[in-house]
Amino acid sequence: MQISEYSIPFIGEESQAPYEQAKVVLLPVPYELTTTYRKGCETGPAAILEATDQLEFYDVELGKEVVFETGVFVHDAIADTQQPNHQLTPELMVEQVKAKISHLFADGKFVITLGGEHGITAGVVAGYQQVLSEPFTVVQIDAHGDMRDSYHGSIYNHACVMRRVLEMGLPTLPVAIRSICREEADLIAEKEIPVIWAHEIVQSPGDWIEKAIAQIKTPRVFITIDLDGMDPAFMPGVGTPQPGGLDWYQLTAFLRQVFLTHEVIGCDVMELAPLTESVVSEFTAAKLVHKLIGYYSHSSYSCPCNSNNWGTVTNS
């Protein structure tokens, strides 16, 4: 498989690493087909990458220029609904993303997938599961439960993505949730899903992170970030905003602790729908991707590339 660089670099040309040398791969998936409120998330990946041009290489919190330590490669976009006559069904998108993720992960890359609608995460998680024989926890930062069985006629609707993850037999930890339907409430009770509700975070500002981390029972974790998990005061450019949610420092403090306590196998950042009158959302998302790279490089699991450090794998 030939891999070529995406046309938009991360931060700048000087920070780009060849695929073979890069530990981190950014995978743009500008896919949008099932969004049901404000449109525009298919433009999210490009907006994030364009905004990184305004980032500093130096991370103040970590005290280093993380991109030069890890090496970052920006992959070509896949499952792009901006292409004319794309004929991408949700099922086809999931299969394309699954195949790509499993390949990159088997190559030893730490992949940060840039969406695109949240339904993409079903394919991302399936790709990791195809390579790993051991279960991992999917940590979900989100305003919504996303656990409907189907929505608007599709089981791969963005409102159903975590239901598909649960059907894969994987444990989940939803964080900052503040909007669910009755079907989801019943499922949460039935499955005893350890939701960290947004109102609980406000009520227990000193110990919610410790409580959340304690709910993760597997050594390995995948993190999916729907940007509406943040308070729309900080992240207005999303398709389905909800009042409340995490601020910047709540989010980054939680993410850092997850990276310090568990082996994070990959991440995604989903549902950026840029606003025409403001660049706050895309710049915040860009800085969040930079923080994810930094926390990965700062963790004790940041040197797996091409070292077969993923344990037992399967070829299913």
Side-chain angles (χ1 to χ4, degrees):
M1 179 188 67
Q2 184 178 2
I3 298 175
S4 59
E5 292 186 58
Y6 196 44
S7 59
I8 309 171
F10 182 79
I11 299 186
E13 294 290 349
E14 63 269 40
S15 68
Q16 305 310 293
Y19 177 79
E20 292 75 17
Q21 298 175 18
K23 292 182 181 179
V24 176
V25 171
L26 303 183
L27 178 64
V29 187
Y31 175 87
E32 181 176 21
L33 202 64
T34 75
T35 49
T36 50
Y37 193 16
R38 184 173 169 272
K39 307 293 184 180
C41 65
E42 66 183 0
T43 67
I48 291 172
L49 290 169
E50 289 171 356
T52 65
D53 186 57
Q54 301 301 315
L55 290 173
E56 296 287 355
F57 293 112
Y58 188 78
D59 186 300
V60 174
E61 179 187 5
L62 301 178
K64 57 184 179 180
E65 294 181 323
V66 296
V67 293
F68 296 115
E69 292 191 15
T70 59
V72 178
F73 179 87
V74 181
H75 196 287
D76 275 350
I78 66 169
D80 187 353
T81 53
Q82 298 171 105
Q83 297 299 314
N85 305 315
H86 59 77
Q87 297 183 334
L88 280 166
T89 64
E91 292 78 8
L92 181 58
M93 175 275 293
V94 166
E95 288 304 311
Q96 286 187 11
V97 173
K98 175 183 175 182
K100 181 61 66 178
I101 289 291
S102 63
H103 178 90
L104 295 174
F105 186 57
D107 268 0
K109 306 303 181 183
F110 184 82
V111 184
I112 302 177
T113 305
L114 307 179
E117 67 174 63
H118 206 182
I120 296 163
T121 300
V124 176
V125 172
Y128 287 104
Q129 191 177 44
Q130 180 168 290
V131 177
L132 286 170
S133 63
E134 301 171 3
F136 52 91
T137 299
V138 178
V139 174
Q140 170 201 8
I141 296 168
D142 207 325
H144 308 87
D146 286 353
M147 294 181 240
R148 286 175 162 90
D149 185 44
S150 66
Y151 196 59
H152 287 205
S154 174
I155 65 170
Y156 288 113
N157 187 282
H158 71 119
C160 309
V161 61
M162 297 308 296
R163 185 66 165 263
R164 305 289 80 82
V165 170
L166 288 166
E167 289 173 351
M168 296 177 199
L170 295 172
T172 67
L173 175 64
V175 175
I177 306 299
R178 51 201 188 275
S179 179
I180 59 172
C181 68
R182 170 55 64 185
E183 175 191 356
E184 293 170 304
D186 293 343
L187 183 70
I188 289 166
E190 176 190 345
K191 300 290 186 182
E192 299 182 338
I193 299 169
V195 178
I196 307 297
W197 302 100
H199 66 269
E200 294 178 335
I201 294 172
V202 175
Q203 293 166 359
S204 304
D207 60 5
W208 75 269
I209 292 178
E210 181 179 354
K211 175 184 175 182
I213 296 294
Q215 298 299 322
I216 303 174
K217 307 302 183 183
T218 61
R220 290 171 175 155
V221 165
F222 174 79
I223 302 173
T224 177
I225 303 173
D226 185 327
L227 289 169
D228 66 27
M230 296 186 71
D231 190 317
F234 301 92
M235 180 58 64
V238 294
T240 49
Q242 286 285 335
L246 300 172
D247 66 27
W248 175 255
Y249 288 109
Q250 288 173 322
L251 174 59
T252 56
F254 173 65
L255 290 171
R256 178 168 182 167
Q257 195 62 22
V258 174
F259 274 90
L260 288 175
T261 56
H262 292 79
E263 181 180 356
V264 179
I265 59 174
C267 307
D268 67 37
V269 177
M270 299 293 175
E271 299 268 355
L272 173 69
L275 303 172
T276 57
E277 68 275 14
S278 170
V279 295
V280 168
S281 298
E282 49 262 53
F283 183 79
T284 301
K287 191 152 189 173
L288 177 59
V289 173
H290 193 230
K291 296 301 293 185
L292 291 171
I293 295 170
Y295 293 149
Y296 168 69
S297 73
H298 204 62
S299 74
S300 59
Y301 302 102
S302 63
C303 299
C305 291
N306 302 316
S307 64
N308 195 24
N309 194 36
W310 301 111
T312 305
V313 300
T314 66
N315 294 318
S316 59

